[in-house]
């Protein structure tokens, strides 16, 4: 447990910690790149939604952990690429109200992700039927479909102007995409 007035967890600060099972980030504002990389027994992550101070989650910060559920505080604005990637235990993920940027593969290879939600107050991202979208100037970008989606066919909704990298990663039932 880190103090409520804590500011920054630097890159690789806790990586490859084979016995770290629980984390309370306290008042951390920034979790830098690879801070908890390969902490594969880290199963409880409390990002302190009650303090609402966390703003940035760096590249690969929580790559290869084993948390089942992650809730981003409303204060988080940036989630960099691979931030929560390769977490096969992850089944639920929630984006807060202030998230404005999500990097490629941020939830990549989270093969058991089934529930993806976004704060109703978030004006940039939304979820429809397990698919995460980002509102962009030209329309909307399809960010990702949860890998547990069992649909064999997907029709890209009108107004979608981009499909992101890795958008249908691990959607093993998918056989056809209608544009």
């Amino acid at each position: 447990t880190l103090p409520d007035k804590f500011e920054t967890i630097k890159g690789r600060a806790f990586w490859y910690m084979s016995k770290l099972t629980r984390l309370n980030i306290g008042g951390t504002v920034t979790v830098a790149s690879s801070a908890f990389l390969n902490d594969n027994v880290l199963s409880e992550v409390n990002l302190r939604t009650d303090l609402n101070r966390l703003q940035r989650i760096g590249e690969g910060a929580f790559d290869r952990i084993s948390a089942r559920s992650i809730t981003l505080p409303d204060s988080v604005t940036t989630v960099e690429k691979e931030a929560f990637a390769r977490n096969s235990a992850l089944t639920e993920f929630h984006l807060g109200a202030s998230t404005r940027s999500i990097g490629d593969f941020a939830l990549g290879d989270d093969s058991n992700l089934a529930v993806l939600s976004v704060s109703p107050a978030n004006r940039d991202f939304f979820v429809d039927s397990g698919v995460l979208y980002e509102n962009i100037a030209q329309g909307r970008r399809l960010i990702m479909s949860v890998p547990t989606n069992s649909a064999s066919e997907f029709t890209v909704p009108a107004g979608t102007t981009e499909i992101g990298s890795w958008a249908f990663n691990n959607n093993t039932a998918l056989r056809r995409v209608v544009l």
Side-chain angles (χ1 to χ4, degrees):
T1 299
L2 297 173
D4 288 354
K5 296 198 185 280
F6 201 78
E7 293 288 322
T8 302
I9 299 172
K10 295 283 189 174
R12 301 184 191 118
F14 296 96
W15 75 334
Y16 289 92
M17 300 282 293
S18 62
K19 295 183 181 180
L20 182 64
T21 60
R22 293 186 313 205
L23 170 67
N24 176 331
I25 68 161
T28 300
V29 174
T30 300
V31 178
S33 299
S34 304
F36 297 93
L37 175 68
N38 275 324
D39 289 356
N40 56 13
V41 296
L42 180 55
S43 59
E44 293 178 39
V45 177
N46 182 350
L47 299 179
R48 297 300 301 270
T49 57
D50 59 321
L51 293 178
N52 213 28
R53 286 175 41 99
L54 182 61
Q55 295 174 11
R56 183 179 150 279
I57 300 171
E59 179 180 337
F62 295 96
D63 189 351
R64 294 181 182 98
I65 64 169
S66 59
R68 291 178 192 242
S69 179
I70 298 286
T71 298
L72 299 185
D74 286 336
S75 55
V76 172
T77 59
T78 304
V79 178
E80 293 184 5
K81 70 180 185 176
E82 300 182 20
F84 295 95
R86 291 170 281 271
N87 181 352
S88 61
L90 190 65
T91 60
E92 297 180 19
F93 190 87
H94 177 79
L95 287 174
S98 299
T99 305
R100 301 290 175 254
S101 172
I102 298 176
D104 286 341
F105 212 65
L107 297 168
D109 274 349
D110 292 344
S111 56
N112 291 305
L113 184 60
V115 177
L116 190 54
S117 61
V118 177
S119 167
N122 190 310
R123 67 179 197 267
D124 294 308
F125 295 93
F126 67 96
V127 173
D128 183 21
S129 301
V131 179
L132 178 64
Y133 295 92
E134 178 181 12
N135 291 315
I136 56 176
Q138 306 85 348
R140 74 174 70 125
R141 174 184 299 126
L142 190 157
I143 302 288
M144 72 171 292
S145 171
V146 293
T148 55
N149 189 334
S150 60
S152 62
E153 180 174 300
F154 181 80
T155 300
V156 176
T160 303
T161 56
E162 289 183 32
I163 297 175
S165 302
W166 308 97
F168 295 99
N169 186 47
N170 286 327
N171 281 197
T172 58
L174 188 61
R175 300 287 175 253
R176 182 173 180 224
V177 175
V178 179
L179 300 174

